Amino acid sequence: MHVFYTPDIEDGAGAYALNEEESRHCSKVLRLGIGDQVSLVDGRGGLYQAEIASETKRQVTLKVISTTLAYQKRNHHLHIAVAPTKNIERLEWFLEKATEIGIDEITPIICAHSERKVIKEDRLVKVITAAVKQSLQAYHPQLNPAISFADFIRKESGAQKMIAHCIDDTSRTYISDIAQPHAAYLILIGPEGDFSPAEIDSALQSGFKPLTLGNTRLRTETAALAACFELNYLNR
Amino acid sequence: MHVFYTPDIEDGAGAYALNEEESRHCSKVLRLGIGDQVSLVDGRGGLYQAEIASETKRQVTLKVISTTLAYQKRNHHLHIAVAPTKNIERLEWFLEKATEIGIDEITPIICAHSERKVIKEDRLVKVITAAVKQSLQAYHPQLNPAISFADFIRKESGAQKMIAHCIDDTSRTYISDIAQPHAAYLILIGPEGDFSPAEIDSALQSGFKPLTLGNTRLRTETAALAACFELNYLNR
């Protein structure tokens, strides 16, 4: 079943018109015609089954057959703040995989050891949206603007705050040792070269708990996904 | 610290000579000289700290300073048999990430719905070796030759056998519901389009237990990595 991302559909709408670009994609690329069925996700939890009611070159209109609101609503809120990787494809890969596995919010943080300090937000959102459609997620993860590490950790957060770092000390615990179930979590993942000692200190002073993700040396994007897997696992 | 993969080093050797290619890499690319230290991993559990004892254009010889055998020896054996993805980069990505997280054996299986039926084994091994060095793993995961699904499941295996499929029936359990700790595991992961019903039936008849990896729709390589994460997590 083909999936369209329709953030502008009204909750419980009975009909929807695809925009010109998606209308062309629907009729010319997918070769769908009147009566064919498609799925719509609105990114706010709405999943719609619809069928093509009318079709012109410029506009495909859909009749909604069934509606599910709060489809697969998650029982926790996972926010991962991760330093953009030098090779942006690695961050894009993380965004795709985290969307498949389950994530609510991502913030790119610029750290002392960050080699990459700028990102193209719109491109990253496209990666997330493609994964939302491919994995049939009704909720669209939120990508926040990039922000400096110092500004980010100063922000208030009601979440359980943790920082994964690579400095081998005994204070680090596994996520599973400290995470409360069905809660909100905020996890910091550092750049290639890890967080600086000063960043780690300031995070700990801001109430972040130090984490280890295992005894192997993980790349930034692998560490971020490992945290995503572990928290989704703990909230099954 | 720079890491070299040296599968031909003898256990407990006191010295080692890099081959011509790696010698050139060591001196010309890394610009390392006499007295500089490097790490060696032999892929069989051996981790060596060594320093450069002599250097010519063609050959760099190393003096071993310290040796650790069975470095980070794993407490279980994980074998994932996965259908190669249509886009081979997705399989390569899985091999890199699984090596970082921890895996022992991978077998590409050609299934009824497989769009890709051939792989370049040597290229895939290069991906694994690069990840072994990057993540400082002393054990090199084994990549087996590609084999048909039917031939593969006929093979004897002392492992706990499981098959992850997408047909929504109540018999599927999570890995965590059935996996015994510190054991050997064999997990089957299907292609885009899933295993065929006939393949699932024959696997169940061969003693494979049906798995679900969660309630979201995962790509082949994501499902394979999810299984890898879960089994490493359960064996911490």
Side-chain angles (χ1 to χ4, degrees), chain A residues 92-103 127 131 225 228-229, chain B residues 90 93 218-222 225:
Chain A
E92 292 174 1
W93 167 82
F94 163 70
L95 294 173
E96 176 183 299
K97 296 313 172 199
T99 300
E100 287 179 62
I101 297 297
I103 193 166
V127 170
L225 193 67
C228 185
F229 268 108
Chain B
R90 294 188 172 276
W93 166 83
L218 302 179
R219 287 181 175 273
T220 291
E221 73 280 6
T222 318
L225 193 66

Side-chain angles (χ1 to χ4, degrees), chain B residues 16-232:
Chain B
Y16 182 79
L18 295 177
N19 63 33
E20 187 167 345
E21 180 189 354
E22 288 204 309
S23 292
R24 195 174 293 109
H25 180 72
C26 180
S27 50
K28 299 287 168 231
V29 181
L30 303 178
R31 303 277 181 89
L32 298 179
I34 288 171
D36 288 334
Q37 294 202 1
V38 297
S39 298
L40 313 178
V41 290
D42 65 8
R44 306 181 304 275
L47 170 65
Y48 300 80
Q49 300 306 325
E51 74 176 30
I52 297 176
S54 74
E55 187 177 44
T56 68
K57 275 184 186 170
R58 295 244 169 118
Q59 185 168 78
V60 169
T61 61
L62 304 167
K63 174 175 174 242
V64 173
I65 298 163
S66 70
T67 301
T68 310
L69 299 180
Y71 175 72
Q72 291 190 351
K73 184 171 174 51
R74 291 152 53 67
N75 62 5
H76 62 285
H77 184 94
L78 175 56
H79 180 180
I80 293 184
V82 56
T85 47
K86 182 181 174 189
N87 172 354
I88 197 66
E89 285 185 358
R90 294 188 172 276
L91 178 62
E92 292 174 0
W93 166 83
F94 162 71
L95 294 173
E96 175 183 301
K97 298 313 175 197
T99 300
E100 287 180 62
I101 297 298
I103 193 166
D104 302 283
E105 199 172 345
I106 306 104
T107 302
I109 47 172
I110 310 306
C111 303
H113 297 162
S114 288
E115 292 193 58
R116 169 180 294 276
K117 295 184 162 42
V118 290
I119 57 168
K120 290 185 181 152
E121 216 174 291
D122 55 348
R123 177 175 164 83
L124 298 181
V125 171
K126 282 200 178 83
V127 170
I128 294 171
T129 302
V132 161
K133 291 162 65 176
Q134 194 278 332
S135 60
L136 196 62
Q137 307 266 351
Y139 292 91
H140 191 296
Q142 177 182 332
L143 179 71
N144 298 321
I147 180 173
S148 76
F149 177 90
D151 291 343
F152 182 75
I153 65 165
R154 267 197 294 272
K155 289 189 168 188
E156 277 309 308
S157 163
Q160 292 186 53
K161 302 188 292 183
M162 311 175 207
I163 178 169
H165 67 77
C166 307
I167 295 175
D168 189 6
D169 66 43
T170 56
S171 68
R172 297 184 304 163
T173 65
Y174 287 122
I175 292 173
S176 55
D177 296 326
I178 56 175
Q180 302 298 319
H182 310 332
Y185 315 97
L186 170 56
I187 315 282
L188 304 181
I189 303 290
E192 294 97 336
D194 202 7
F195 291 112
S196 71
E199 285 172 332
I200 295 169
D201 288 345
S202 59
L204 299 182
Q205 284 163 33
S206 302
F208 286 81
K209 298 274 184 291
L211 288 183
T212 175
L213 296 167
N215 60 4
T216 59
R217 194 162 76 173
L218 302 179
R219 287 181 175 273
T220 291
E221 73 280 6
T222 318
L225 193 66
C228 185
F229 268 107
E230 187 161 343
L231 279 161
N232 277 275

Side-chain angles (χ1 to χ4, degrees), chain A residues 5-9 14-19 22 40 60-64:
Chain A
Y5 176 56
T6 58
D8 58 337
I9 191 171
Y16 182 78
L18 295 177
N19 64 32
E22 287 203 309
L40 314 178
V60 169
T61 61
L62 304 167
K63 178 180 171 229
V64 173

Side-chain angles (χ1 to χ4, degrees), chain A residues 19-75:
Chain A
N19 64 32
E20 187 167 346
E21 181 188 353
E22 287 203 309
S23 293
R24 194 176 293 109
H25 179 72
C26 181
S27 50
K28 298 290 168 227
V29 180
L30 303 178
R31 303 277 179 86
L32 299 179
I34 289 172
D36 288 334
Q37 294 202 2
V38 298
S39 298
L40 314 178
V41 292
D42 65 9
R44 305 182 304 275
L47 170 65
Y48 300 80
Q49 300 306 325
E51 74 175 29
I52 298 177
S54 73
E55 188 177 43
T56 69
K57 275 184 182 170
R58 295 246 168 115
Q59 185 168 79
V60 169
T61 61
L62 304 167
K63 178 180 171 229
V64 173
I65 297 164
S66 70
T67 301
T68 310
L69 298 180
Y71 175 72
Q72 292 189 349
K73 185 170 173 50
R74 290 153 52 70
N75 62 6

Side-chain angles (χ1 to χ4, degrees), chain A:
Chain A
M1 176 88 73
H2 296 292
V3 182
F4 291 87
Y5 176 56
T6 58
D8 58 337
I9 191 171
E10 290 172 21
D11 287 0
Y16 182 78
L18 295 177
N19 64 32
E20 187 167 346
E21 181 188 353
E22 287 203 309
S23 293
R24 194 176 293 109
H25 179 72
C26 181
S27 50
K28 298 290 168 227
V29 180
L30 303 178
R31 303 277 179 86
L32 299 179
I34 289 172
D36 288 334
Q37 294 202 2
V38 298
S39 298
L40 314 178
V41 292
D42 65 9
R44 305 182 304 275
L47 170 65
Y48 300 80
Q49 300 306 325
E51 74 175 29
I52 298 177
S54 73
E55 188 177 43
T56 69
K57 275 184 182 170
R58 295 246 168 115
Q59 185 168 79
V60 169
T61 61
L62 304 167
K63 178 180 171 229
V64 173
I65 297 164
S66 70
T67 301
T68 310
L69 298 180
Y71 175 72
Q72 292 189 349
K73 185 170 173 50
R74 290 153 52 70
N75 62 6
H76 62 285
H77 184 94
L78 175 56
H79 180 180
I80 294 185
V82 55
T85 48
K86 181 180 175 190
N87 172 354
I88 197 66
E89 286 185 358
R90 295 187 172 276
L91 178 63
E92 292 174 1
W93 167 82
F94 163 70
L95 294 173
E96 176 183 299
K97 296 313 172 199
T99 300
E100 287 179 62
I101 297 297
I103 193 166
D104 301 282
E105 199 173 346
I106 306 106
T107 302
I109 47 171
I110 310 305
C111 303
H113 297 162
S114 288
E115 292 193 57
R116 167 180 295 276
K117 295 184 162 44
V118 290
I119 57 168
K120 290 183 181 151
E121 215 173 294
D122 54 348
R123 178 177 163 83
L124 299 181
V125 171
K126 281 199 179 84
V127 170
I128 294 171
T129 302
V132 161
K133 291 162 65 175
Q134 193 278 334
S135 61
L136 195 62
Q137 307 265 353
Y139 292 91
H140 191 295
Q142 176 182 331
L143 179 71
N144 298 321
I147 180 173
S148 75
F149 177 89
D151 291 343
F152 182 75
I153 65 165
R154 266 197 295 271
K155 289 189 170 188
E156 277 309 309
S157 164
Q160 292 185 54
K161 302 188 292 185
M162 312 176 207
I163 178 169
H165 68 76
C166 308
I167 295 175
D168 189 7
D169 66 40
T170 55
S171 67
R172 296 183 303 162
T173 65
Y174 287 121
I175 292 174
S176 55
D177 296 327
I178 56 174
Q180 302 298 319
H182 311 330
Y185 315 97
L186 171 55
I187 315 283
L188 304 180
I189 304 290
E192 294 98 337
D194 202 6
F195 291 112
S196 71
E199 285 172 331
I200 295 169
D201 288 345
S202 60
L204 298 182
Q205 283 163 32
S206 303
F208 286 81
K209 298 275 183 290
L211 287 184
T212 175
L213 296 167
N215 59 5
T216 60
R217 194 161 76 174
L218 302 179
R219 288 180 175 274
T220 292
E221 74 279 7
T222 318
L225 193 67
C228 185
F229 268 108
E230 187 161 344
L231 278 161
N232 276 276
Y233 174 86
L234 294 170
N235 283 285
R236 271 183 189 166

